[in-house]
Each structure stands twice: as C-alpha cells, then as structure tokens.
Amino acid sequence: MKMNMKTMLTLLALGASVLIVNAQDGGGPPDGSRGPGGGHHPPSLPLVTALDTNHDGVIDSNEIANASAELLTLDKNGDGMLTTNEYLPQLPPQRDNPNGHAFHPPTPLIVTALDTNHDGVIDSNEIANAPAALKALDKNGDGQLTPDEYIGPRPSNAGGPDDNGNPPGPPPGE
C-alpha cells in the first residue's frame, strides 16, 4: 500500500509528540503516583515486601512468626544468607552533592535489626533469629510493625538531594 507524503508526515509528527510527552513525564510510575510534595516514592524494600505477605504495609504477628521462612525467599543464589543486592532495592547511581560527598540514604531500621553484626550480610543465624529481632522493633508493644517502626522517620534531606534531585543548599536568591 502506498502512503502519500502528507499522511506519512502526519504519522511522524504524531509519533514525535508522543515521545516528547513521555520524555517530559519525568519517568514516574505508570499510575502517576507521587510521594509527599509531588516527589516519587522511594523504591520498596524487598525485605518488607517478603515479610509483609498480605501487602497491607503492616508486618503483623503471624508475619513476624514466619519471618525466617519468608526471608529465605529473597536468597537468590541459595547460599543461606542475604546480601545487600538481595534485600535492598536497586537504587539509581549516586550523585555527588556540591561538597563532593555522595548522598547515601539512611539504613532502614529493619535492616539494622536483622543484620545484628552490621556486616551488610544477613547470615543464617540472623535469619533464624529474625522473629526476635523484629519483635524488638515493636516500640508500642502491639504485636505488629508499622512503617514508622520498621523504616524509621523520613530524613529531612539534610546533606542530600531534594525530591526533584536538586543538591542541598540555600534557596535561590539567598
């Protein structure tokens, strides 16, 4: 089938406009959800995804009791322990701030609780003791863990980029 020049140019223009709109979108999630202040939500923690089996955002007493078995589902290479590439989300490459220091997000409380020797590996003993470690995070004693208990408070971005990726510092014009 032969296409005339006007039809071909119209289709090319339409295709280019779709690409431009997608490029301006900012690469957010397909559902358009944004974090507080219009920023993106940080990537979910594979640890939390594995432990929160009903995906309600709360790690309840049954999920805490089954923590050891659920953690082993993250063990991609079957070596009986979890390394950071198995229990943390893949993060975009770090950018340096104007002071020359890379911004590193704070370690979630759940990681600190599970990795008791703080070597970056959740070994077989730490996996076996996971229910007790998680119960220790339950600050209000209600038998379940909410995000403020297993993640901790959201950082104020001191020393790191804001939700738009801008480096820290005074507002423009100051």
Side-chain angles (χ1 to χ4, degrees):
M1 167 165 90
K2 193 172 185 180
M3 232 188 259
N4 68 28
M5 184 62 94
K6 186 174 180 180
T7 304
M8 188 172 9
L9 289 174
T10 301
L11 290 174
L12 285 173
L14 180 62
S17 66
V18 169
L19 289 174
I20 290 169
V21 168
N22 283 338
Q24 290 176 350
D25 178 17
D31 65 359
S33 62
R34 305 278 184 193
H40 297 285
H41 289 285
S44 63
L45 284 171
L47 273 176
V48 173
T49 302
L51 294 171
D52 182 19
T53 56
N54 65 3
H55 310 293
D56 65 353
V58 174
I59 302 172
D60 63 39
S61 59
N62 289 330
E63 292 165 331
I64 290 171
N66 294 321
S68 298
E70 295 302 330
L71 288 174
L72 286 173
T73 65
L74 296 173
D75 185 13
K76 303 291 184 230
N77 61 2
D79 63 357
M81 59 184 148
L82 303 175
T83 55
T84 56
N85 65 328
E86 292 171 312
Y87 67 79
L88 290 178
Q90 296 292 58
L91 297 175
Q94 298 295 321
R95 292 183 286 183
D96 287 345
N97 69 27
N99 300 329
H101 302 288
F103 171 72
H104 299 284
T107 303
L109 296 175
I110 195 167
V111 172
T112 304
L114 292 170
D115 183 19
T116 57
N117 64 3
H118 310 295
D119 65 352
V121 174
I122 301 174
D123 63 38
S124 59
N125 288 331
E126 292 165 327
I127 291 171
N129 292 322
L134 294 173
K135 286 178 187 174
L137 287 177
D138 183 14
K139 298 301 179 202
N140 63 2
D142 65 355
Q144 59 186 12
L145 299 175
T146 55
D148 61 309
E149 292 173 309
Y150 62 75
I151 299 294
R154 184 175 175 170
S156 65
N157 286 332
D162 65 15
D163 286 338
N164 296 318
N166 299 318
E174 285 189 17

